[in-house]
Amino acid sequence: MRVEQIAVFLENKSGRLAEITARLAEENINIRALSVADTADFGILRLIVDNVEKAKKTLKSNGFTVGITNVIAVEVADKTGGLAGVLKTIEAEKLNVEYMYAFVNKTGENAVLIFRFDDMDKAIESLQRTGYTILSGEQICAL
Amino acid sequence: MTLYWEEEMETLPRVGLESIQLKRLQHLVARVYKTVAPYREKMDAAGVKPEDIQSLADLAKLPFTVKEDLRDNYPFGLFTVPMDQVVRVHASSGTTGKPTVVGYTKKDLETWSGLMARALTLAGVTAKDMVHNAYGYGLFTGGLGAHYGIERLGATVIPVSGGNTKRQITIMKDFKSSVLLATPSYALNLAETMETLDVDPRSLSLRVGVFGAEPWSENMRDEVERKLNIKAVDIYGLSEVMGPGVSMQCLEGEKGMHVFEDHFLPEIIDPDTGEVLPPGEKGELVFTTLTKEAFPIIRYRTKDISRLMYDTCACGRTLVRMEKVTGRTDDMLIIRGVNVFPSQIEHVLMGTEGVEPHYQIVVNREGNMDTMAVEVEVSEDIFSDEIKALENLTKRIQMDIKDMLGVTCRVKLVEPRTIQRSEGKAQRVIDNRKL
C-alpha cells in the first residue's frame, strides 16, 4: 500500500533542480509527481518516479544526497471537497500530516494525494476503513 | 614482538640519551655561532655564548627561531655549509608570504632516510610491504622525504604522489598496496571515491595508514579507520626541522608519537611568554635539531600545540612521546574575543551521529560583529525527507558548538562534495575579515 518516494537534498542555488531533471531525463526516468520544500538555506525535492532504484543510482552517482521514504497515495474524485474529506478523517483520528502534495491524473476525473504521516500504519488503516482508495506504486505509474 | 630500526638508540636509558643530546647540542651551537651571522647576532644580543651551554637546561638561554627569521634570510641565509655541499632543497608553499627554504647535505639525506625508515618500522612496516606514497612530490618535503625512507627500509615504494584519485584506487587494487601514506583529509577523499566507484576497502590489501601534515582529531582517526578498514597512525614532521619523521606513533603503546630525541630536542613553551613549561603541560612545541648539517635550527617555534609524555611506553622505546597535534597557535580564530580552534569544531561535528568530516568554517565581519558559519556536507546518514529533522540537526550542532566554545554560529547544510577537496592539506577556515 505504500509508495516509494525519492527525496533529494538541494542547496538553494540556481540550476540544481535543472541538473536533477536533466540527469533523470537522460536515463529515461519519468517523474509522476514532485514537490519542493524549502528553507532559507536548503530545500528538499520529493519525487515519485517510475523507476526508483535507477533514479536513486543516477542521482547518487551525480553526487546528490538521496533518501528513499514511504508515503501513501490516496485517490479521490477531482471535485469540490475531495481533499477536505480526507483531512476530516485524518483529523478525527488525531493523525499528524508531516507533509503532503497532490496531482490530478490524466483523465481529470481523479486527484491523487501524496501523504507522509508520523503514524503511517494507522493512517492507512483509517483511510481504508472510511472507504478511500490507496494506490500502490505500480498503480501510480500506470495512471 | 616489537620491531626496531635502531634498537640501541630507541631504547637508550634517559641518562645516556641526555648525555648524547648535550654533546650534540654543544657542538651544534658552537658551529652555528661560528658560521651563521644571523644566529651569532641574535645570541650576542641575548648575551649568550656557545660556552654557556653546560647542561640541557641551558638550552632555554638561547633565543627562539621563528618563521620570520627564515623569511628574512630567504632563500639560503641560514644555511651553515657552502652551497656546493647542499644536494637538495625543499620549500614551503609560501601561501602566507615568502616561502621558507631548507637545504640538506648528502649526510642529512642519509639521516632523514634512516629516521623515516625508523618511523615506518614503528608502524609495523617491513621490507615486505607495498607502500603507497600519496604525499605530494616536489618542493613539499612529504613525498620525497617518505620516498627515500621507504626505499631505505627495503619496502617497495609506489611514488603515486597526490591527485588523480580514481587512478590511485586502481593502483591500490592492482599493485596490492599494503601501506598508505597521505594527509588524513586525502585519505577520506580516497575512501569517498571508493564508495562512489563501489570499491570495498576490505577487498584491498591495505593494512595501515601513516597520516600527517595537518592537524586532525581522534574522531577523524576513527572515521578513517572505519572507512578504509585500516589502522591509522600519526606521523609528524615539518620542513624547518627536517620533514616527515621527526616523531611517529607506535603500534603497541598508547597514542602519541615518539620524538626521535637523538636527533631532535623538543621543548614545550607557553606561547605567550616563551617560558619553558614543566613536563606534561600543554603548550607550543619547540624543536632544536641536533645532527643536521646544512640547515640546523635552534629552538624553532612550530606553532603546533602539544604535550610531552615521559612515561614509559608499552613498545619499550624510551623516546618521549608527544601528543597528537590538534591545534595550532596560528590557525586559532578569535571570534568576538573567544579563541576558537578548528579542531574543536571538528570534534563537535564528529561527535554528531552521521555527520561527515567535510566541513568548512567561514568567518565574516558584518558591521563590527564577527560571524562564524560552519558549513557541513549532508550525507545520507543525516539526510531526511522532513525539513523538521534537518533543522533539528543544525540546531543541535549549533548548541553543541555554543556549549563547547561559548560562541554562537550559523550551521549551514550543503550538498555533498561542494566543499573543496584537498589533495594535500585541508583548508578548514575561510576568514573573510579584513583586520
Side-chain angles (χ1 to χ4, degrees):
Chain A
M1 277 303 118
R2 297 185 182 201
V3 177
E4 285 191 318
Q5 170 197 262
I6 287 191
V8 191
F9 181 83
L10 281 180
E11 255 181 82
N12 281 356
K13 52 187 184 190
S14 63
R16 301 310 285 155
L17 201 52
E19 164 84 15
I20 291 180
T21 49
R23 294 290 90 78
L24 292 177
E26 277 165 17
E27 296 296 323
N28 286 318
I29 294 161
N30 193 6
I31 300 170
R32 303 298 309 184
L34 71 83
S35 93
V36 182
D38 65 344
T39 70
D41 284 335
F42 64 86
I44 299 172
L45 170 67
R46 302 171 186 131
L47 296 165
I48 308 281
V49 296
D50 60 354
N51 189 337
V52 175
E53 270 317 304
K54 196 173 171 192
K56 184 182 174 184
K57 219 179 143 206
T58 303
L59 293 174
K60 265 189 81 163
S61 67
N62 280 287
F64 288 97
T65 304
V66 182
I68 293 184
T69 37
N70 286 309
V71 291
I72 56 177
V74 185
E75 190 176 44
V76 294
D78 182 22
K79 59 180 188 195
T80 313
L83 173 60
V86 173
L87 291 176
K88 201 176 153 196
T89 303
I90 287 161
E91 195 198 351
E93 296 287 337
K94 296 201 174 350
L95 286 162
N96 188 27
V97 179
E98 298 286 356
Y99 58 77
M100 72 152 298
Y101 50 103
F103 64 100
V104 176
N105 78 17
K106 280 179 216 151
T107 63
E109 284 166 19
N110 290 323
V112 178
L113 314 173
I114 308 283
F115 281 104
R116 176 121 153 92
F117 294 101
D118 54 356
D119 188 342
M120 297 284 274
D121 292 333
K122 193 174 167 197
I124 293 171
E125 192 267 326
S126 48
L127 284 166
Q128 280 180 327
R129 185 157 33 82
T130 330
Y132 284 104
T133 308
I134 296 181
L135 301 177
S136 67
E138 294 80 50
Q139 284 173 304
I140 290 195
C141 291
L143 284 177
Chain B
M1 197 194 76
T2 305
L3 290 176
Y4 297 101
W5 181 251
E6 289 160 293
E7 182 165 358
E8 200 196 333
M9 273 303 187
E10 293 173 58
T11 59
L12 210 58
R14 190 138 287 275
V15 185
L17 179 65
E18 285 179 356
S19 97
I20 292 175
Q21 286 177 324
L22 179 62
K23 216 183 299 163
R24 288 180 174 176
L25 178 66
Q26 288 168 327
H27 181 73
L28 164 86
V29 174
R31 190 163 66 87
V32 164
Y33 187 82
K34 205 173 94 189
T35 53
V36 188
Y39 272 116
R40 186 165 52 244
E41 286 154 19
K42 274 180 101 166
M43 279 172 63
D44 285 343
V48 52
K49 297 275 171 235
E51 316 66 276
D52 296 334
I53 308 300
Q54 293 300 320
S55 73
L56 286 179
D58 292 332
L59 177 65
K61 294 177 181 165
L62 295 168
F64 290 116
T65 306
V66 294
K67 208 176 183 83
E68 270 308 301
D69 295 315
L70 274 67
R71 287 190 188 137
D72 292 347
N73 296 287
Y74 174 86
F76 308 133
L78 293 180
F79 287 14
T80 60
V81 297
M83 285 311 283
D84 60 0
Q85 287 179 41
V86 174
V87 296
R88 196 198 296 170
V89 289
H90 279 287
S92 70
S93 53
T95 40
T96 52
K98 255 186 198 167
T100 53
V101 181
V102 297
Y104 305 80
T105 64
K106 222 172 231 174
K107 181 160 168 275
D108 285 336
L109 290 183
E110 275 167 29
T111 308
W112 188 9
S113 306
L115 286 174
M116 208 37 229
R118 189 200 279 190
L120 291 167
T121 307
L122 262 72
V125 182
T126 70
K128 293 193 179 105
D129 277 300
M130 290 294 291
V131 185
H132 193 98
N133 186 18
Y135 283 119
Y137 279 64
L139 283 174
F140 170 58
T141 50
L144 285 167
H147 180 98
Y148 286 94
I150 301 161
E151 288 188 351
R152 171 66 70 84
L153 182 64
T156 309
V157 59
I158 309 169
V160 69
S161 192
N164 215 337
T165 308
K166 283 183 183 170
R167 181 161 157 256
Q168 297 228 4
I169 294 165
T170 307
I171 287 172
M172 280 183 180
K173 264 200 295 206
D174 297 348
F175 295 11
K176 298 198 168 20
S177 312
S178 58
V179 179
L180 170 65
L181 267 57
T183 57
S185 56
Y186 189 59
L188 281 175
N189 191 346
L190 281 164
E192 225 172 45
T193 310
M194 283 181 199
E195 223 170 283
T196 58
L197 296 175
D198 259 332
V199 172
D200 183 353
R202 282 168 300 189
S203 70
L204 302 174
S205 309
L206 282 184
R207 182 180 86 242
V208 63
V210 177
F211 302 114
E214 65 186 12
W216 55 313
S217 65
E218 284 300 330
N219 285 328
M220 188 158 162
R221 186 206 302 277
D222 295 342
E223 192 83 20
V224 170
E225 290 192 333
R226 187 170 56 77
K227 285 200 160 160
L228 283 176
N229 190 42
I230 55 170
K231 173 105 183 117
V233 290
D234 277 292
I235 188 164
Y236 176 86
L238 62 168
S239 62
E240 294 87 338
V241 174
M242 181 181 73
V246 171
S247 70
M248 175 77 197
Q249 185 190 340
C250 67
L251 287 180
E252 294 99 303
E254 291 295 307
K255 293 185 175 130
M257 294 162 278
H258 289 284
V259 179
F260 299 152
E261 285 181 277
D262 43 336
H263 296 268
F264 312 106
L265 199 51
E267 296 171 275
I268 294 286
I269 62 159
D270 178 328
D272 297 326
T273 64
E275 197 187 324
V276 178
L277 296 176
E281 281 197 37
K282 228 181 166 107
E284 182 179 344
L285 249 178
V286 170
F287 278 106
T288 300
T289 62
L290 295 174
T291 51
K292 271 172 72 190
E293 290 185 335
F295 184 80
I297 201 157
I298 293 176
R299 300 195 86 201
Y300 183 67
R301 293 185 59 159
T302 62
K303 295 187 176 178
D304 286 331
I305 303 287
S306 184
R307 192 163 72 83
L308 293 173
M309 300 175 281
Y310 286 91
D311 53 329
T312 45
C313 182
C315 74
R317 290 180 181 84
T318 49
L319 302 167
V320 69
R321 281 171 303 140
M322 58 178 264
E323 195 174 66
K324 185 175 181 53
V325 172
T326 49
R328 283 177 57 81
T329 58
D330 62 348
D331 77 353
M332 187 181 77
L333 288 162
I334 303 179
I335 309 287
R336 301 197 287 278
V338 178
N339 296 351
V340 174
F341 286 103
S343 57
Q344 291 175 298
I345 304 233
E346 181 175 311
H347 190 80
V348 170
L349 293 177
M350 301 278 173
T352 309
E353 194 77 27
V355 172
E356 288 282 308
H358 292 295
Y359 68 95
Q360 199 160 50
I361 300 164
V362 183
V363 184
N364 280 297
R365 176 156 285 187
E366 290 162 16
N368 284 321
M369 196 62 166
D370 293 334
T371 61
M372 177 168 75
V374 178
E375 296 183 351
V376 182
E377 288 188 2
V378 173
S379 67
E380 264 179 49
D381 296 338
I382 58 170
F383 179 54
S384 163
D385 59 319
E386 292 174 36
I387 297 264
K388 187 171 69 181
L390 292 180
E391 285 187 336
N392 283 343
L393 173 78
T394 58
K395 263 185 231 155
R396 199 167 79 232
I397 296 173
Q398 204 174 356
M399 266 165 51
D400 288 347
I401 290 175
K402 169 104 192 184
D403 277 351
M404 177 167 230
L405 304 170
V407 171
T408 306
C409 68
R410 194 166 90 96
V411 175
K412 186 182 174 197
L413 299 177
V414 298
E415 285 177 23
R417 290 177 187 76
T418 49
I419 291 174
Q420 203 191 344
R421 290 299 181 270
S422 75
E423 285 172 345
K425 301 186 191 207
Q427 199 196 349
R428 296 301 190 194
V429 180
I430 295 177
D431 195 339
N432 296 318
R433 290 176 296 185
K434 308 264 178 291
L435 299 178

